[in-house]
Amino acid sequence: MPNLILGTTTVLSESGGTVNLENINLSTGVEVTNLPSGHRPAEVWLSTTTVNSREFYITIPSGYARYKVAGHNLTTSYNNNSLLTYPQISDADDTDMESVTAYNRIESAGGGEDFADGYVKVCVNMGNDATDNLTFEQIWDSLSITRTKGYGGYGFSQYGHSSDQQSYLYNTGFRSQSTGIVNRLRYYWSSGDGSFTGTVVLTGYLGF
């Protein structure tokens, strides 16, 4: 079988009875179907956001039943800072969002529960020591699909706490009864002084 070439780029080749796809990039939202069980792509990269301000947004593209937001190495130069998430419907905060967090110290005994209305807590009272940073993941279900039910998800984070040289693990669940389509997530540091760094990646899941 001859190779399939577009312009000067080989996109389909055959070797030893195996047909290979080469040099092909799938656009955001492309879904591959009619594949055997176990071979359907599950997670698709959607966007990468560089955090450099107190407030930043993650736009939610349609076409996926579930999304993951992963934050890497977030820092703040302001001590005792908290990162909060506000899901937005038509660019307005969803005030029906409710969340609960179970938190534990990592180095020693201590922890508790925390509740929030209108937003989701990613971390609370994060420190600004040279070694303090934040890593988190959130799974959001049914954000962009037309539905008659609510939506929600779960997440976790670990970070350096302010002042006391402690680190914390957060486990969070959240839910809203709103049936509107969520078009973006708003992330907001509670204190705005100083500088902010980090990277946040959004991926989408197929196959549900």
Side-chain angles (χ1 to χ4, degrees):
M1 174 183 132
N3 292 346
L4 176 62
I5 300 174
L6 298 178
T8 60
T9 303
T10 299
V11 295
L12 195 66
S13 64
E14 186 271 337
S15 176
T18 300
V19 177
N20 305 299
L21 289 173
E22 302 181 19
N23 305 306
I24 295 177
N25 293 321
L26 296 179
S27 300
T28 298
V30 171
E31 183 173 351
V32 180
T33 59
N34 298 323
L35 293 178
S37 176
H39 292 275
R40 189 176 185 187
E43 187 174 8
V44 180
W45 173 88
L46 299 175
S47 68
T48 299
T49 300
T50 299
V51 179
N52 53 21
S53 61
R54 178 182 188 179
E55 184 177 58
F56 58 96
Y57 296 85
I58 306 295
T59 299
I60 305 298
S62 61
Y64 300 87
R66 179 172 289 186
Y67 299 85
K68 180 172 75 176
V69 181
H72 169 68
N73 197 30
L74 275 70
T75 68
T76 170
S77 62
Y78 187 89
N79 195 36
N80 204 38
N81 215 341
S82 302
L83 183 62
L84 313 175
T85 311
Y86 296 81
Q88 294 195 319
I89 298 172
S90 299
D91 296 344
D93 293 347
D94 178 11
T95 56
D96 285 337
M97 174 54 60
E98 298 177 338
S99 65
V100 60
T101 299
Y103 59 91
N104 296 93
R105 285 197 189 107
I106 294 176
E107 292 99 332
S108 60
E113 270 187 332
D114 202 1
F115 301 87
D117 286 325
Y119 58 90
V120 178
K121 295 181 179 181
V122 181
C123 72
V124 174
N125 297 334
M126 178 173 159
N128 65 346
D129 290 344
T131 56
D132 285 343
N133 63 350
L134 162 70
T135 298
F136 75 90
E137 285 191 4
Q138 294 175 331
I139 297 293
W140 294 85
D141 202 62
S142 304
L143 291 183
S144 67
I145 62 175
T146 301
R147 51 189 158 71
T148 58
K149 309 289 185 182
Y151 68 94
Y154 56 91
F156 62 89
S157 66
Q158 60 81 19
Y159 64 96
H161 192 257
S162 65
S163 303
D164 59 5
Q165 301 301 310
Q166 298 283 350
S167 297
Y168 276 81
L169 172 67
Y170 256 43
N171 290 287
T172 306
F174 37 90
R175 179 169 172 78
S176 170
Q177 301 284 34
S178 298
T179 58
I181 291 176
V182 175
N183 69 306
R184 66 182 186 179
L185 302 172
R186 180 170 73 93
Y187 290 83
Y188 184 76
W189 286 101
S190 60
S191 299
D193 294 346
S195 61
F196 305 89
T197 66
T199 304
V200 178
V201 173
L202 175 70
T203 56
Y205 287 87
L206 302 168
F208 288 91

